[in-house]
Amino acid sequence: MIGPKHVAIIMDGNGRWGLKKKNSRNLGHKKGIIRVEEIIKQSIKKKIKFLTLYTFSSDNWKRPKIETNFLFTLLENYIDKEFNNLKKKNIKIKILGDIDKFPPSLKIKLRKVEKNTNYNTLIQINLALNYGSRQELVNAFKIISIKKKRIITEKLISDNLYTKNIPDPEILIRTGNTNRLSNFLLWQINYTEIFFVKKLWPDFGKNDFNIILNKFNKIKRNFGAI
Ligand code: IPE
Ligand code: IPE
Ligand code: MG
């Protein structure tokens, strides 16, 4: 059985988890990072080649500054802690989105980790940061029009998205008991199998992940044929 090459995840529910536990949304974000590490490990075990994590959406700026700053600090601490490990473990990090408006020190570290892990081959972790799918498409159309391309093809559009050279995901998981896409990978998920999970992200573990992978393996994917 050939498993999926690319799994994308909308890691939703951190805030509610933290509120329920200790009346602190940020606690949920902290616990969420531990789950990220667990799911990366499991993805490697399952020989998944691309794991895309919706980490900060272009609409998440609407949250209070105290929360966005906490998220940026968490991410920066994670990079500080894992910088050498990622390289050693042969993990490639790629950023999807426009991180220009991120705090300067975080931006520098993100660029550095991307550059430093560029030739790694075990797995590619795509971090969707300040990512919005419509913005990604608008950006692609702008590039295409600047290049004065007259023949528009699906490949031309795909090649001008942040996800250039990344195969479309076979699986999209959204945790947090919410059945929507929130502006995530709208072009790329045309034939993706979507799994909406009730559990909040900090409660989503490797067993839940395995259950989805097993379900996926039993699905007959038609792509319009029979
Ligand atoms: C997802 O969890 C993480 C980010 C958006 C960074 P939320 O923070 O959206 O958690 P809920 O949905 O409010 O519980
Ligand atoms: C989607 O979750 C973004 C991330 C998980 C990073 P949101 O919590 O921002 O989505 P909405 O606002 O509920 O649609
Ligand atoms: Mg949410």
Side-chain angles (χ1 to χ4, degrees):
M1 181 62 72
I2 306 165
K5 253 204 197 137
H6 182 179
V7 175
I9 309 181
I10 303 174
M11 309 181 290
D12 195 29
N14 289 350
R16 277 164 285 161
W17 189 92
L19 284 178
K20 212 172 56 189
K21 280 263 158 184
K22 279 222 164 87
N23 207 21
S24 149
R25 291 182 52 84
N26 287 348
L27 182 75
H29 293 311
K30 227 167 133 182
K31 175 74 182 178
I33 294 249
I34 295 167
R35 291 306 191 182
V36 168
E37 291 183 317
E38 183 179 336
I39 297 305
I40 291 176
K41 236 193 206 162
Q42 193 61 14
S43 300
I44 293 169
K45 244 193 201 157
K46 294 289 180 184
K47 302 200 165 25
I48 290 163
K49 296 310 279 183
F50 301 87
L51 178 68
T52 301
L53 302 173
Y54 205 3
T55 309
F56 190 87
S57 86
S58 51
D59 290 318
N60 288 149
W61 294 105
K62 295 174 190 163
R63 297 182 180 205
K65 234 183 156 144
I66 190 148
E67 179 163 338
T68 54
N69 281 338
F70 186 81
L71 286 168
F72 297 145
T73 305
L74 264 187
L75 186 58
E76 195 164 337
N77 290 344
Y78 177 75
I79 297 173
D80 286 341
K81 181 169 85 74
E82 288 299 315
F83 192 87
N84 291 323
N85 275 339
L86 291 166
K87 189 144 195 225
K88 255 196 281 177
K89 288 189 195 153
N90 197 17
I91 295 172
K92 174 172 171 168
I93 300 290
K94 162 111 181 120
I95 297 153
L96 311 180
D98 175 9
I99 60 166
D100 247 24
K101 296 208 167 57
F102 275 18
S105 66
L106 173 60
K107 209 164 62 180
I108 290 166
K109 283 176 189 170
L110 284 167
R111 288 287 172 230
K112 205 167 149 196
V113 78
E114 201 177 33
K115 199 169 156 213
N116 221 257
T117 61
N118 189 36
Y119 295 104
N120 288 352
T121 55
L122 182 62
I123 188 169
Q124 177 170 329
I125 312 289
N126 303 310
L127 298 177
L129 291 169
N130 191 21
Y131 176 89
S133 187
R134 286 193 172 189
Q135 290 91 320
E136 180 187 36
L137 283 161
V138 168
N139 187 52
F141 299 151
K142 276 187 192 159
I143 299 168
I144 290 167
S145 96
I146 291 166
K147 288 183 187 158
K148 295 199 175 10
K149 297 277 186 194
R150 290 193 182 277
I151 299 164
I152 306 295
T153 61
E154 287 192 11
K155 184 169 185 310
L156 181 68
I157 294 171
S158 293
D159 282 350
N160 285 286
L161 298 173
Y162 295 123
T163 49
K164 177 180 177 178
N165 293 331
I166 299 171
D168 290 339
E170 293 96 335
I171 295 178
L172 170 68
I173 300 168
R174 180 176 188 139
T175 60
N177 198 20
T178 303
N179 303 352
R180 59 174 169 256
L181 296 171
S182 303
N183 205 12
F184 191 48
L185 302 178
L186 302 179
W187 170 271
Q188 295 87 341
I189 57 164
N190 69 335
Y191 271 108
T192 300
E193 305 296 332
I194 303 179
F195 296 85
F196 291 110
V197 178
K198 287 207 167 64
K199 277 190 183 178
L200 306 173
W201 175 249
D203 288 327
F204 185 82
K206 66 177 178 193
N207 291 336
D208 303 298
F209 192 56
N210 284 342
I211 288 169
I212 290 175
L213 296 178
N214 289 336
K215 270 192 196 158
F216 169 81
N217 284 334
K218 296 198 183 91
I219 294 172
K220 181 173 173 279
R221 303 178 77 210
N222 293 336
F223 300 99
I226 51 170

